[in-house]
Amino acid sequence: MDEAITQVKNALEDTAVTDAQIRDTVWNYYFDVDQSVNFLRDLRKKQENKKQSAAKKSSKAFHERLLFADTVTCRPGTGHRSSGKLRQSTQSSPSISKQKTPLVSRCQYGVSIFDGIPWGLPASMNTEITYCGGPTPRMGLLGGSSKLAALAKSRAAKRQQELEYQQQPQPMEDVQPATPSTPSAIALPKSPLVLDTAVPSTPPASGASVSKRLTSLLAERSRDRGRTTSRAISPEKQSYLRRTGSQSPSVSSLSPNSDLSSASAVFSENIPSSFATSLCDSAFAQSTFSSAASTSSSPAFDGMSADEIWKMITNKPLFYLPVTEKQAEEIAKNFARPSPDDIIKDAQATKGGTASVTSSKKVQPQKASNRAGLEKDMKSLSMQDHSVKIPQSRQKINVVEAFSSSRRKLHINFVVLGHVDAGKSTLMGRLLYDVGAIDARTIEKYKRDASNIGKGSFAFAWVLDQSAEERARGVTMDVAMNSFESSKVAFTILDAPGHKDFVPNMIAGASEADFAVLVIDSSPNAFEAGFTQSGQTKEHALLVRSLGVQRIIVAVNKLDNVNWSEFRFDEVKETLMPFLSAAGFSESQTSFVPCSGLSGDNIVNRSIRPELSWYKDRTLLEELESLTSVERDIGAPLQLSVTDVFKGGSSSAINITGRINAGNIQVGETVLAVPSNETAAVKSIAIADQPNNWAVAGDNVQIALSNIDIVHLRAGDILCASANPVRCAKTFSARIIAFQLRIPLIKGSNVLIYRGRTTEAARILRLVAVVDKNTGKITKNKPRHLISGQTAIVELEVIGNSFPMETFKASKDLGRIVLRQDGNTVAAGIVEEILSVKNDGTRD
Amino acid sequence: MKLISKQLDKEGAGSIRLQPEEAADLWHAYNLIHTGDILKASTFRRITKDKDKDSATGFTGTSSSSGSSQRIQLTLAITVQKTDFDPSAGALHASGPVVEESPHVRLGAYHTLDLALHRAFTLSKLPNAPWDSVALQTVTSACDPASRAEVGAVVLQPGFANVCLVTEHMTLLRQRVEIAIPRKRAADSAAGHDKAVTRFYAAVAAAMSRHFDYGNLKAVIIASPGFTGEQLLQYLLDTAAKDVDSGSATAGTNKMLIKSKNKFLLVHCASGHIHALNEVLRAPEVLARLADTKFARESATLETFFSVLNEGEEMGGVKAWYGPKQVAAAVDRGAVKTLLISDRLFRSDDVKKRKYYVALVEQVRSQGGEALVFSSLHESGKQLDQFTGIAAILNFAIPELDEMSDDDERDEIQIDEH
């Protein structure tokens, strides 16, 4: 930070620009020195051009002025004038921001609100404005819905009129922070007090006393606030503000009686987004005041610095009231005074107004999840936004910061595995039903339909087996994805097919999973059948382990078929455990749950059957919830595995679904599709059908892309950051573990490489060496062939299309491969080195 | 192939006149024609006649302005220097200098002969590289009318299909169909999936009717994992029936399709990739119908080789080996039960190498072993080519083979002078 400031200072060679100003600018440009310098230069030029009467003041003088202004503003009639003056003075003496960083940053948001607000509003309204500032819009216009535009226009007109009336030189540019080219309103340092001065209090408030001391300034403000909110029009104002795009959440549950507490509550609306908070000084982070403190009485504030109060306030949660559109229109009518219309300024005002909306959209994901009310509020806003065209120069979101401050629910993907007919889909259908993700009516319908075709027991499986063919045949064919949330965790179920022919689909599912649920059919002989060499129980378990899954829950299903026998459960457990440990699942990472998908015992609800009283441990859901998330590298360059490509229903956009393996993605970003090497722009992102502006590693997302033709995309492709393209291997070396082989692997063996949805034919170019499984030492060079269980280093050549991959070292997800031959999994391995690449973007 | 005449001396030198009858015969011809042989065939050549000279120079283009050029048919004999075969187009070219005098072409002038169907050619082999047993066997099998079985095969998986023709000696990939099928999702865009699936089946069906002559095919194999093949067959029959009813332009083909309904063979395989054909061709239901065919025998033998190789360790030593050195050593010990050898090895430009492998084959046969020459145009042969092109299943294990180092990385055969 300091370094950047010094750099900018040096670059500017201008002492007139204060540190704080620079600091703000540098912040705003994400420490881009060049841009900051440019901006500051521009800013200075503008200031000179304006020939403003107010000279540059020292920060001390400014303080005095503020004090003065504040007292003045409370008097009717003088408000406008002082506000104008003060605004200028703050522009020229930004050093105040240095002393009150949090306040300044907050006020910056407030300032932007003024763009959209005529100064001639009723005092109460202005008060509202002061407090309701959202984060500064940092980007260009959204285009704007017609309603918004109209409102913004009228506001601008009004402001213009007001300005002229005041005969004050009041250049709009200065308070026009958000033009598309200079998304840097923050750089105009303004004290929050400026906002207060803008509270001209035309109608004197009810007997609220006006404090003349600076220290009590905030208290005064809050009182003012409380007063305002106690009025009936309060929600309307809010709605007005919202409609004008100032993104002020409505103040709903403010108590008219408790000035301070309500005021502080309102204050917290003003809290910069968590994103901004994290950008700000640590002062925010260090905020130690409990929210309870804010309920203290007014005298308690006297001794506090504004900073302290601010800190305290930031801890307050909020509540909001929905506001009707009608109310909003009423408010709008209030300002329908005729005014001279400056077209340019109009346009600017429109920009400012709509930009605010954009900001609200941006803020949405950053809100803490405990602010449910606000979230809701925001969602309604963002719905509006979606009809709006995406601005070209969208400001980059620092997703890592946004993510760390968003406190989303823990998101876990788990894959459901097991031999065919083990009851995977039924078990998951039951789970979804019991947690309430599926309503009883749907299940009833499935039950009816299923029994109509003589498959009554398949009703729950139909929750996941959606396609007509899957239902008719009674087998899962493709991975079904379903989501549900428990109180603690948001889960995504990947219900893998058990049939041997669909193992590729199972691999696709398993490669998206953090954890695995292995379903065992405990019916007589069924378990044994699934556990044979050709059964899928073993293959699935080995595969999922070699795909990097370490934690496995074994659901011993269909126990109702063996009369809930504990003996059978133990038998299954004892047969399975040695195999699982050999496969690489540690005992602590493996748990067994006796259950029945059909009856629902021990799935979500603990079984109350006396026959099952021997089991006291956790139910399946409890086991799932006990899982902890895996670490994901969300700051790394983007790597997203495409699982599906399809054209959107109504829109012409190309949609993809996929899983983010590493890094993050945000709306507006340009990504590179590999292997076609075509770039595409991210138009929108949805996580679990909820629109979001960004997504991070581990998320399963649906993304609408523009500027790309559908022929360049295919399931199995990788989307990556264009700066860090994923390579497309033609030949590579890998360390593989041979599974149970029917025929040995020799030089020239044709295999299919699988990784996620990506499949490609390949052949073994060379067997480099057999290595010891445990020590990794080479035991034999250039073996003639590999037999079951051997670990070896081999070189593979991709036949046909090249294969986007990374070494295992570089990417845990993209560096894992599975080799299959003639429908059998012959080996799993990790990519050691990419020997030659084919990156010409062609497909064969 | 039609054998028109055969004039060989005791050592095998001499000429054979053959007439290719079908695409596979060109493949045989390709295997017979080696560098150094003399090939005589009817061909076309553009002749430029100089005004001042009576005879043609044989050079074209040197005096383009003064002379008149004319394309004439003539019979030329060349010493083969290069052969070039395109299996999918069914074209075989052999080029080299002219060795027999001709009124139009100078001796030594280069010419490329295009061997075409139904046009006879004479192939003469010189005493230093005479007709060997393998070549003569090729001629015999090429001229065997019974070996003209042709099978249509489609290997497919959702969104991906290979339409092939499998003849006795060749697998010809006729068309590859690739259509991206979006996954099925919640109700709204499930239509996209179904549409894509229908489009895929339609594309495969179109490819089949274009490349398959249902009347002449011995069988039509449809192989896929899951239910894809089943659905394709259903689609084929449904649309054919509809088509015949409506009496559209393709009704004839489709009538034939319905007639040959019993030729369809539904086989399971692991994937839609072309090398899955290997798995398909050794499937029991295919073997039951096509057991006497060469490709089925090749696939089955290769499979045996692999399984013997795999069970090696437990059975007290490996009884299957590959690589020229190892196989040669095994042949020396008379241990070879089945020799698997790719015809690629007999096409070598090096006469010594050719002779060496022919000797190897003859030795195995004289020892009572079986020598199976794999066609490198079949998937099994391609696979064999991947591991040196020569392998052997042994009667007994030879532990010493394990110690033979495999110095040459590329497994190029170093032939000792013996």
Side-chain angles (χ1 to χ4, degrees):
Chain A
M1 181 83 202
D2 289 336
E3 222 174 80
I5 291 175
T6 332
Q7 278 177 11
V8 174
K9 219 181 212 166
N10 294 342
L12 273 175
E13 297 164 352
D14 185 3
T15 46
V17 181
T18 64
D19 275 6
Q21 205 167 358
I22 296 170
R23 177 149 57 149
D24 289 345
T25 317
V26 169
W27 257 341
N28 203 35
Y29 281 109
Y30 297 101
F31 300 94
D32 186 328
V33 173
D34 289 348
Q35 276 188 305
S36 310
V37 170
N38 284 342
F39 173 74
L40 286 168
R41 279 194 183 131
D42 279 1
L43 181 70
R44 201 146 41 83
K45 227 177 269 169
K46 271 186 204 160
Q47 282 173 346
E48 281 160 14
N49 290 348
K50 277 164 229 148
K51 294 175 189 137
Q52 290 165 356
S53 56
K56 293 177 171 96
K57 309 273 191 227
S58 75
S59 86
K60 200 185 167 198
F62 177 60
H63 268 275
E64 287 164 2
R65 251 198 121 122
L66 282 177
L67 186 57
F68 169 72
D70 188 54
T71 52
V72 165
T73 51
C74 296
R75 289 179 197 140
T78 55
H80 298 313
R81 190 158 307 216
S82 62
S83 83
K85 266 188 197 163
L86 256 173
R87 266 150 40 93
Q88 280 166 15
S89 72
T90 42
Q91 280 154 24
S92 47
S93 61
S95 53
I96 185 151
S97 62
K98 200 175 179 182
Q99 293 162 5
K100 300 187 176 184
T101 312
L103 282 176
V104 167
S105 64
R106 179 175 63 98
C107 108
Q108 286 156 356
Y109 301 123
V111 167
S112 75
I113 299 312
F114 279 116
D115 302 336
I117 307 297
W119 295 108
L121 295 181
S124 52
M125 188 67 80
N126 274 345
T127 320
E128 207 56 45
I129 293 158
T130 310
Y131 293 98
C132 294
T136 309
R138 299 214 183 89
M139 64 189 67
L141 79 167
L142 268 181
S145 69
S146 56
K147 231 174 204 171
L148 276 174
L151 276 164
K153 204 167 167 179
S154 70
R155 270 184 301 142
K158 225 154 289 160
R159 173 163 41 178
Q160 182 61 22
Q161 185 195 26
E162 202 64 33
L163 290 171
E164 278 166 17
Y165 172 72
Q166 288 174 18
Q167 296 292 310
Q168 289 259 1
Q170 189 65 63
M172 292 298 281
E173 293 86 276
D174 269 2
V175 290
Q176 196 68 66
T179 57
S181 52
T182 59
S184 57
I186 304 177
L188 297 171
K190 291 200 169 73
S191 151
L193 304 178
V194 176
L195 306 177
D196 274 3
T197 61
V199 177
S201 309
T202 329
S206 58
S209 67
V210 176
S211 168
K212 295 208 179 357
R213 285 179 301 144
L214 181 61
T215 44
S216 63
L217 177 63
L218 277 170
E220 190 276 324
R221 203 187 330 165
S222 22
R223 222 167 281 136
D224 212 35
R225 192 92 178 88
R227 208 167 55 227
T228 315
T229 49
S230 66
R231 289 187 192 162
I233 55 160
S234 151
E236 296 161 355
K237 282 177 310 196
Q238 314 265 332
S239 86
Y240 169 72
L241 285 172
R242 181 147 6 128
R243 302 231 33 101
T244 52
S246 64
Q247 192 263 326
S248 79
S250 44
V251 185
S252 66
S253 61
L254 291 182
S255 149
N257 301 325
S258 59
D259 277 4
L260 268 173
S261 58
S262 61
S264 55
V266 176
F267 261 134
S268 57
E269 286 165 31
N270 253 344
I271 299 168
S273 67
S274 41
F275 165 52
T277 313
S278 49
L279 270 183
C280 277
D281 269 4
S282 52
F284 274 109
Q286 288 162 2
S287 168
T288 50
F289 281 73
S290 72
S291 56
S294 65
T295 54
S296 57
S297 57
S298 144
F301 283 92
D302 283 2
M304 288 180 191
S305 75
D307 273 14
E308 284 168 344
I309 296 171
W310 173 248
K311 276 189 209 161
M312 184 180 90
I313 282 161
T314 52
N315 282 339
K316 231 10 208 174
L318 318 163
F319 308 93
Y320 300 105
L321 238 197
V323 181
T324 66
E325 204 167 300
K326 201 180 162 201
Q327 284 171 317
E329 276 163 10
E330 273 174 32
I331 297 295
K333 247 184 256 167
N334 288 342
F335 305 121
R337 272 188 270 161
S339 63
D341 214 348
D342 184 322
I343 291 165
I344 298 163
K345 282 174 184 173
D346 247 3
Q348 283 171 339
T350 315
K351 278 174 191 170
T354 47
S356 301
V357 178
T358 319
S359 77
S360 75
K361 191 181 169 189
K362 256 175 59 181
V363 175
Q364 185 206 334
Q366 301 158 3
K367 292 287 174 187
S369 56
N370 62 345
R371 297 180 172 184
L374 180 59
E375 288 248 50
K376 218 172 175 180
D377 221 309
M378 287 300 135
K379 250 169 223 163
S380 66
L381 265 177
S382 64
M383 294 282 263
Q384 258 181 336
D385 297 344
H386 278 287
S387 60
V388 171
K389 215 183 151 201
I390 306 161
Q392 286 303 304
S393 59
R394 203 186 168 90
Q395 194 75 26
K396 208 167 152 58
I397 304 169
N398 188 336
V399 177
V400 178
E401 305 255 12
F403 175 73
S404 57
S405 55
S406 70
R407 272 174 279 157
R408 289 197 311 189
K409 238 184 206 178
L410 182 61
H411 195 130
I412 285 179
N413 301 325
F414 67 90
V415 64
V416 190
L417 310 167
H419 192 62
V420 64
D421 287 340
K424 295 176 290 299
S425 300
T426 303
L427 190 71
M428 287 306 116
R430 167 64 81 167
L431 179 63
L432 285 170
Y433 174 61
D434 283 357
V435 296
I438 303 290
D439 57 38
R441 248 181 57 194
T442 315
I443 287 292
E444 276 311 312
K445 185 175 177 296
Y446 287 159
K447 276 186 178 157
R448 220 169 34 241
D449 294 352
S451 47
N452 276 350
I453 61 165
K455 292 181 189 289
S457 65
F458 282 79
F460 282 113
W462 282 20
V463 174
L464 292 114
D465 293 347
Q466 290 280 344
S467 86
E469 202 185 348
E470 285 179 328
R471 288 179 178 180
R473 296 185 192 272
V475 290
T476 308
M477 289 162 75
D478 203 348
V479 177
M481 264 231 256
N482 249 293
S483 308
F484 71 95
E485 287 190 18
S486 76
S487 50
K488 298 170 206 159
V489 193
F491 289 104
T492 300
I493 301 174
L494 299 150
D495 181 34
H499 196 280
K500 195 177 175 207
D501 277 352
F502 306 118
V503 169
N505 294 339
M506 173 262 157
I507 294 171
S511 56
E512 294 179 42
D514 303 316
F515 305 102
V517 174
L518 181 65
V519 182
I520 303 289
D521 184 350
S522 65
S523 316
N525 295 322
F527 163 64
E528 285 76 8
F531 199 58
T532 56
Q533 198 45 54
S534 54
Q536 263 56 63
T537 305
K538 272 185 175 175
E539 187 177 11
H540 279 187
L542 281 170
L543 269 175
V544 80
R545 183 65 193 85
S546 53
L547 287 167
V549 173
Q550 294 178 335
R551 176 86 166 84
I552 192 164
I553 299 168
V554 182
V556 182
N557 195 21
K558 300 196 187 176
L559 263 187
D560 47 343
N561 282 355
V562 290
N563 206 17
W564 312 102
S565 155
E566 184 178 5
F567 175 77
R568 180 64 172 171
F569 176 71
D570 288 339
E571 188 187 348
V572 168
K573 195 169 167 178
E574 272 149 32
T575 322
L576 216 50
M577 201 53 229
F579 164 73
L580 290 177
S581 350
F585 293 103
S586 73
E587 205 145 331
S588 62
Q589 295 286 306
T590 312
S591 45
F592 289 80
V593 182
C595 58
S596 165
L598 204 60
S599 68
D601 289 86
N602 278 347
I603 311 278
V604 173
N605 307 315
R606 184 164 300 281
S607 174
I608 45 161
R609 279 171 211 279
E611 301 99 309
L612 206 54
S613 56
W614 48 267
Y615 183 77
K616 307 265 181 252
D617 223 335
R618 291 187 279 213
T619 64
L620 184 60
L621 184 66
E622 284 164 357
E623 281 289 353
L624 287 170
E625 283 183 331
S626 73
L627 305 171
T628 47
S629 180
V630 283
E631 276 296 309
R632 295 188 177 104
D633 195 0
I634 63 169
L638 170 73
Q639 283 169 357
L640 187 154
S641 309
V642 177
T643 54
D644 193 14
V645 182
F646 58 99
K647 277 223 165 105
S650 52
S651 69
S652 62
I654 290 158
N655 290 302
I656 60 137
T657 57
R659 166 163 158 106
I660 303 178
N661 300 114
N664 57 69
I665 191 167
Q666 58 183 285
V667 172
E669 195 175 338
T670 299
V671 292
L672 185 73
V674 173
S676 65
N677 272 356
E678 292 284 327
T679 56
V682 177
K683 222 164 140 189
S684 69
I685 300 173
I687 304 171
D689 292 332
Q690 295 298 320
N692 207 341
N693 278 328
W694 48 265
V696 296
D699 287 341
N700 287 315
V701 291
Q702 179 174 334
I703 293 176
L705 295 173
S706 57
N707 299 339
I708 191 165
D709 194 284
I710 198 160
V711 299
H712 298 305
L713 286 166
R714 205 179 283 179
D717 285 1
I718 304 288
L719 294 187
C720 55
S722 26
N724 289 283
V726 171
R727 288 180 289 176
C728 285
K730 186 74 193 158
T731 57
F732 62 96
S733 71
R735 181 180 295 256
I736 61 168
I737 300 170
F739 283 16
Q740 195 62 45
L741 298 178
R742 196 178 51 80
I743 59 172
L745 286 175
I746 60 173
K747 202 179 109 159
S749 292
N750 282 319
V751 292
L752 290 172
I753 315 180
Y754 288 89
R755 193 208 49 228
R757 284 263 161 202
T758 324
T759 313
E760 210 52 72
R763 77 167 66 96
I764 297 177
L765 212 56
R766 188 171 303 155
L767 302 174
V768 179
V770 177
V771 295
D772 189 282
K773 206 180 276 182
N774 301 315
T775 62
K777 277 190 190 141
I778 292 175
T779 56
K780 190 183 181 191
N781 272 313
K782 291 187 200 155
R784 299 298 283 177
H785 60 267
L786 295 181
I787 55 164
S788 307
Q790 276 183 328
T791 304
I793 299 172
V794 299
E795 283 177 24
L796 288 149
E797 180 190 20
V798 182
I799 310 170
N801 299 339
S802 52
F803 196 93
M805 68 167 57
E806 281 295 338
T807 59
F808 183 69
K809 264 186 206 147
S811 166
K812 295 254 179 304
D813 284 323
L814 299 191
R816 284 184 193 279
I817 52 166
V818 171
L819 304 181
R820 305 192 84 228
Q821 195 177 39
D822 296 349
N824 298 299
T825 302
V826 291
I830 55 173
V831 178
E832 297 250 294
E833 196 185 343
I834 293 172
L835 301 169
S836 69
V837 296
K838 180 186 168 199
N839 241 1
D840 54 4
T842 55
R843 289 188 196 274
D844 299 336
Chain B
M1 198 92 92
K2 241 186 223 165
L3 180 64
I4 296 170
S5 71
K6 185 171 167 187
Q7 290 173 321
L8 303 182
D9 64 15
K10 252 198 283 182
E11 276 74 43
S15 63
I16 293 181
R17 189 164 171 76
L18 296 160
Q19 182 171 322
E21 300 282 278
E22 55 179 15
D25 290 343
L26 290 175
W27 167 246
H28 292 304
Y30 177 58
N31 279 317
L32 290 173
I33 301 168
H34 297 139
T35 316
D37 294 348
I38 293 168
L39 181 66
K40 189 174 181 181
S42 166
T43 184
F44 291 91
R45 187 173 173 101
R46 205 161 66 95
I47 302 296
T48 312
K49 282 214 164 99
D50 272 355
K51 273 175 186 163
D52 19 326
K53 283 186 189 172
D54 282 334
S55 65
T57 60
F59 290 109
T60 55
T62 47
S63 53
S64 52
S65 57
S66 58
S68 64
S69 90
Q70 201 186 349
R71 194 164 173 271
I72 59 166
Q73 185 174 13
L74 71 172
T75 302
L76 287 178
I78 59 165
T79 302
V80 177
Q81 284 188 343
K82 209 181 109 204
T83 51
D84 178 25
F85 179 64
D86 181 349
S88 50
L92 173 62
H93 311 290
S95 62
V98 174
V99 287
E100 260 176 39
E101 286 206 46
S102 150
H104 301 291
V105 186
R106 242 183 14 170
L107 273 181
Y110 274 77
H111 189 78
T112 300
L113 292 173
D114 278 5
L115 296 190
L117 292 184
H118 311 300
R119 248 184 282 147
F121 65 89
T122 310
L123 182 65
S124 311
K125 286 185 185 286
L126 304 175
N128 65 342
W131 292 89
D132 53 50
S133 60
V134 173
L136 289 174
Q137 197 201 350
T138 307
V139 173
T140 317
S141 70
C143 296
D144 179 7
S147 73
R148 277 178 208 163
E150 207 176 23
V151 173
V154 183
V155 275
L156 74 163
Q157 69 189 42
F160 185 59
N162 284 293
V163 179
C164 324
L165 274 175
V166 183
T167 68
E168 191 74 2
H169 301 277
M170 294 194 288
T171 302
L172 300 173
L173 172 60
R174 280 305 177 198
Q175 195 166 338
R176 195 156 128 189
V177 180
E178 212 172 344
I179 283 171
I181 297 181
R183 286 172 67 188
K184 210 158 226 180
R185 59 193 63 252
D188 56 346
S189 60
H193 171 87
D194 293 343
K195 235 193 258 168
V197 168
T198 315
R199 208 150 39 101
F200 172 64
Y201 288 139
V204 177
M208 287 173 76
S209 66
R210 199 171 316 131
H211 298 295
F212 290 173
D213 175 5
Y214 290 114
N216 288 333
L217 289 180
K218 198 169 175 190
V220 180
I221 301 169
I222 296 179
S224 80
F227 312 108
T228 322
E230 204 176 305
Q231 282 167 346
L232 173 67
L233 184 58
Q234 195 60 48
Y235 178 89
L236 280 174
L237 296 176
D238 285 354
T239 48
K242 248 183 248 165
D243 209 43
V244 170
D245 287 346
S246 67
S248 77
T250 51
T253 324
N254 284 321
K255 231 179 214 166
M256 194 49 108
L257 190 150
I258 292 168
K259 246 190 206 165
S260 1
K261 203 167 152 183
N262 56 357
K263 283 184 184 172
F264 283 93
L265 212 55
L266 214 51
V267 184
H268 177 273
C269 69
S271 79
H273 289 265
I274 180 104
H275 65 229
L277 254 189
N278 211 8
E279 186 192 348
V280 173
L281 293 181
R282 62 161 189 265
E285 51 268 58
V286 176
L287 285 178
R289 196 176 294 193
L290 308 165
D292 52 340
T293 55
K294 185 169 148 64
F295 54 75
R297 219 162 47 234
E298 283 174 10
S299 286
T301 310
L302 191 67
E303 176 68 9
T304 316
F305 169 75
F306 280 133
S307 49
V308 171
L309 189 60
N310 197 36
E311 68 200 19
E313 304 297 316
E314 303 104 62
M315 304 295 282
V318 186
K319 286 207 262 178
W321 282 101
Y322 67 91
K325 273 187 195 172
Q326 285 83 350
V327 172
V331 172
D332 278 350
R333 281 152 216 258
V336 176
K337 187 170 151 198
T338 312
L339 179 72
L340 298 81
I341 187 163
S342 163
D343 57 14
R344 180 184 59 105
L345 298 178
F346 301 114
R347 284 201 304 273
S348 167
D349 284 346
D350 187 343
V351 183
K352 264 190 219 156
K353 275 187 191 173
R354 278 198 322 250
K355 278 185 175 166
Y356 170 75
Y357 285 121
V358 171
L360 210 59
V361 169
E362 283 166 357
Q363 201 179 341
V364 169
R365 285 183 179 151
S366 68
Q367 285 165 2
E370 187 192 357
L372 197 62
V373 180
F374 278 57
S375 163
S376 52
L377 280 187
H378 279 316
E379 279 306 309
S380 49
K382 275 183 194 161
Q383 210 170 332
L384 182 63
D385 266 350
Q386 287 303 319
F387 50 97
T388 71
I390 183 161
I393 302 170
L394 310 183
N395 285 318
F396 50 87
I398 305 171
E400 300 96 279
L401 292 182
D402 205 6
E403 279 125 47
M404 293 186 90
S405 66
D406 192 19
D407 298 330
D408 195 351
E409 266 293 292
R410 265 171 283 164
D411 285 306
E412 271 301 322
I413 312 112
Q414 305 293 314
I415 298 157
D416 316 328
E417 298 291 324
H418 62 269

